[in-house]
Amino acid sequence: GTDGAASNNDLDMIGEMRTAALLGKSISGDASAVSAHQVLAMATLNGAKALGLETRIGSLEPGKAADCAAVDLSGLNCQPVYDPLSQLVYAAHTGQVREVWVAGERRVEDGRLRGIDVDALAAKAADWRALIAEE
């Protein structure tokens, strides 16, 4: 997962996967270390295993909570696509996430949050910022 908004101001799993892959390559001195496929496994099933939840989450299979995201790789930043997982890890960004399902329920549709008043959420965040700044 991400390390939280408190340390880097975003919760960007695509960016965190990219960072993990690049750090692995840098630290090892081997450009083939920590492949995109390995990073995706780290972010999904291996993350679930680290939490002891691999029987409930982390992969798409019967009986598990179905969390799934569809990412549009048609943008120029992702062209040409030879290996979709490599493009996801090294070239895509969160603005390309088009659909998201959490526990089988659609939460993002055509790139927009469903069931959340974004303006009200932004206003609440601004209120909290003001409260924290007062302390």
Side-chain angles (χ1 to χ4, degrees):
T2 69
D3 58 356
S7 61
N8 69 0
N9 281 343
D10 73 19
L11 298 169
D12 178 355
M13 278 303 297
I14 294 174
E16 299 300 338
M17 288 191 300
R18 181 178 306 110
T19 298
L22 296 176
L23 274 173
K25 293 172 187 331
S26 176
I27 290 169
S28 71
D30 178 1
S32 66
V34 194
S35 71
H37 294 259
Q38 289 171 309
V39 168
L40 184 63
M42 290 165 56
T44 56
L45 187 55
N46 290 341
K49 286 178 183 177
L51 296 171
L53 298 173
E54 68 273 17
T55 62
R56 296 175 41 205
I57 63 171
S59 59
L60 294 175
E61 55 187 288
K64 288 189 175 183
D67 294 357
C68 185
V71 180
D72 180 1
L73 299 179
S74 67
L76 286 177
N77 63 305
C78 288
Q79 298 306 308
V81 178
Y82 294 108
D83 178 355
L85 289 183
S86 289
Q87 294 309 95
L88 174 67
V89 171
Y90 297 114
H93 54 79
T94 57
Q96 291 171 258
V97 175
R98 306 310 307 155
E99 311 288 331
V100 174
W101 294 266
V102 176
E105 183 178 328
R106 189 180 231 164
R107 298 297 182 132
V108 175
E109 182 175 9
D110 196 28
R112 289 186 288 278
L113 290 170
R114 290 182 62 180
I116 295 175
D117 182 341
V118 176
D119 293 332
L121 183 59
K124 190 172 195 173
D127 291 345
W128 275 105
R129 179 195 58 198
L131 285 171
I132 292 168
E134 289 176 6
E135 292 183 18

